[in-house]
Structure formats: C-alpha cells, structure tokens
Amino acid sequence: MILERPNVINLRKLQAQLGGLKNRPDIDQLSKMIKMFQLYQAGQKEISTKLENLDSEFQVNYDYNPIHHMESRMKDVQSLLQKAERKGYELTVESIEKNIYDIAGIRVITNYVDDIYKIEKMLTKQSDVTLLRRKDYVKHPKVSGYRSLHIVVKVPVFQAEGPIDVPVEIQIRTVGMDMWASLEHKLRYKTNVDKKLVDQYGDQLQGYADELEKIERGMQDIHQNLI
Ligand code: GTP
Ligand code: MG
C-alpha cells in the first residue's frame, strides 16, 4: 500500500520564492490563498467525479465511453500570482477569486467531436452545476488552428460552515485536437527554435488542423454507422 503524504507548504519559504513580484502578498494573504487552493481543489474533485460517473453511466447505457481520459491540474501559487500581476489585478484573495477562473482546471479528452458537446450538456444540466463562461474554439477555431471547448462552471463545495461555490475551468477536446495542441504548444513555448522555423511549422500545423477536422468527422461517421 502506498500512502501519499500531502505537501506541507512553508509560508515564509513560499513568500521568499515570490521575490520577483512587484507587490508580494504578505503572510496573512498567502495563508488565505493556501486555504483558497484547498477549496478549489475540492471543487475540481467534485467535477472530476461527476465526469467519471457520467462516463460510466454512458458505458452501461450505450456500451461506449465518450471520455478517452482526463487530466487535472491546479495552477501553482507562483504562476497564479504572476498571471494576476500581468493582468493588472490586485494580489489579494478577493481580487483573484473575482477575476481568475482557471485556478482549478480539468482537461477532458474525448473520442469524437460530438462527445465534446454531449459531455458539456450532461454536466451543465446537473442542478448543482452552473455555467459561468463558455468559449467554443471548436466551432470557431483560433487563427493558429487551435480547437477546444473551454467552459467555466461553478460547483458548491460543502465546508464546515456551509456550501461555497467554486469555479472550475474545463477544456474539452478530442484525442486529435489534444495531439495537435500539445505539439503546437511545444512549438510556441520552446524558446530556442528559429523564428523562421516557428512560422513554417506554424503554417504547417494550421493546415493539419483543417485536415484533422475532416478526418475526425469522417471517423465519427464511420463509428456512428457501426453502432
Ligand atoms: P488566459 O486564460 O487568461 O490566458 O486567457 P483566456 O481565458 O482568454 O484564454 P483562452 O480561452 O485562450 O485559453 C487559455 C488556454 O487554452 C491556454 O492556457 C492553453 O492551454 C489553451 N490555448 C489557447 N489558445 C491556444 C493555442 O493557440 N494553442 C495551444 N496549443 N493552446 C492554446
Ligand atoms: Mg483562461
């Protein structure tokens, strides 16, 4: 049996690591932020469980799983504060809660394009899940060729004092879209790639995004005809 020991966060050490920030939060604010992270992580678990349950129910009813796999991640304190600073928000818990919605994130990788919308519908019609934001880059891809459905939902987390609503960002995309986004991300974020090559590969990837779309639609049609 493996027992996982939770990370103990040392607030002073953490504060020291945040030296690069212009307005470094004090220990009191940082301690509030750590509590906020615990809450957001609980919200992320609530949504992950809901998605797993929906996938299992689908398997029983239709002998098929819409979800290929899921990944979840929490933004770390450092990149959260850097993002807040970059966007010009105050580095307090109140301001971060009001303005930043991707502290808790889940990526859902589906088998086919239609599964993206099935999952969104099944999740958002649950009575304790509320849709806060929605960006459909599947119907309206980015110029880069990036496709994915981004939604932010809020879900109540039951604390000792009562329920608190927590936002969770969910990116839903197919296996093909995920493969494309991983490679394109590598191209954009690798700093040592020649600018000319970045442009050339960028164009190439943009073309592949269209081709992938056609292939995925075609494969979905075959799959549907086989049900
Ligand atoms: P921020 O979250 O504040 O950056 O802005 P936003 O919410 O307007 O961003 P957006 O909806 O574009 O989604 C941000 C996330 O989507 C990024 O962290 C990436 O994971 C992903 N993403 C968005 N655009 C692209 C893209 O062109 N290529 C790749 N590979 N990923 C992208
Ligand atoms: Mg975002």
Side-chain angles (χ1 to χ4, degrees):
M1 184 171 60
I2 301 174
L3 285 182
E4 221 175 291
R5 227 185 271 180
N7 267 345
V8 180
I9 296 173
N10 179 321
L11 284 175
R12 290 200 183 280
K13 231 189 209 167
L14 178 62
Q15 203 202 23
Q17 282 165 0
L18 299 171
L21 295 167
K22 275 191 229 95
N23 295 304
R24 192 157 42 147
D26 60 23
I27 292 283
D28 183 46
Q29 273 297 332
L30 271 184
S31 144
K32 279 195 196 160
M33 273 175 210
I34 302 301
K35 284 203 187 105
M36 175 184 77
F37 267 79
Q38 184 274 326
L39 193 66
Y40 278 56
Q41 189 147 34
Q44 185 190 56
K45 281 191 201 151
E46 294 282 348
I47 297 291
S48 297
T49 304
K50 283 175 179 296
L51 289 164
E52 274 167 11
N53 290 343
L54 286 169
D55 195 47
S56 313
E57 186 196 344
F58 219 85
Q59 165 68 36
V60 171
N61 290 344
Y62 304 104
D63 199 18
Y64 158 70
N65 291 91
I67 298 180
H68 183 273
H69 72 277
M70 283 194 275
E71 295 161 13
S72 57
R73 71 105 186 86
M74 290 292 296
K75 228 186 199 21
D76 61 60
V77 182
Q78 214 152 340
S79 45
L80 172 64
L81 292 172
Q82 277 162 358
K83 176 169 176 173
E85 193 167 81
R86 200 173 60 238
K87 300 227 168 192
Y89 305 138
E90 237 186 294
L91 302 193
T92 59
V93 170
E94 294 73 28
S95 142
I96 285 172
E97 278 179 338
K98 203 170 80 197
N99 295 302
I100 298 186
Y101 296 101
D102 64 349
I103 297 173
I106 299 176
R107 189 168 286 160
V108 182
I109 317 300
T110 67
N111 284 304
Y112 298 101
V113 183
D114 286 355
D115 295 334
I116 296 176
Y117 298 104
K118 271 185 213 151
I119 286 161
E120 180 197 22
K121 200 167 157 202
M122 292 190 294
L123 181 70
T124 53
K125 78 175 184 197
Q126 298 197 356
S127 58
D128 55 348
V129 176
T130 312
L131 184 68
L132 293 179
R133 282 170 126 209
R134 181 176 195 275
K135 287 188 204 163
D136 189 346
Y137 300 126
V138 177
K139 291 219 167 70
H140 310 285
K142 289 203 168 185
V143 181
S144 60
Y146 177 75
R147 290 180 303 145
S148 205
L149 176 68
H150 293 189
I151 58 174
V152 177
V153 298
K154 69 174 181 191
V155 68
V157 170
F158 288 83
Q159 298 284 94
E161 301 286 305
I164 300 181
D165 281 335
V166 171
V168 179
E169 185 185 78
I170 311 170
Q171 298 182 345
I172 317 175
R173 52 170 81 143
T174 62
V175 179
M177 294 174 194
D178 190 52
M179 181 194 181
W180 184 96
S182 308
L183 184 58
E184 201 259 357
H185 184 271
K186 200 176 253 175
L187 173 69
R188 301 284 165 205
Y189 292 87
K190 278 233 171 208
T191 46
N192 56 353
V193 187
D194 190 282
K195 163 95 177 67
K196 252 200 200 141
L197 264 189
V198 173
D199 290 345
Q200 184 198 318
Y201 288 158
D203 288 347
Q204 217 175 326
L205 281 166
Q206 201 183 29
Y208 289 161
D210 292 338
E211 287 181 49
L212 268 175
E213 206 219 309
K214 281 191 205 94
I215 293 170
E216 288 194 301
R217 294 259 170 221
M219 286 180 68
Q220 176 172 277
D221 290 345
I222 296 178
H223 175 251
Q224 265 158 3
N225 289 334
L226 293 177
I227 288 175

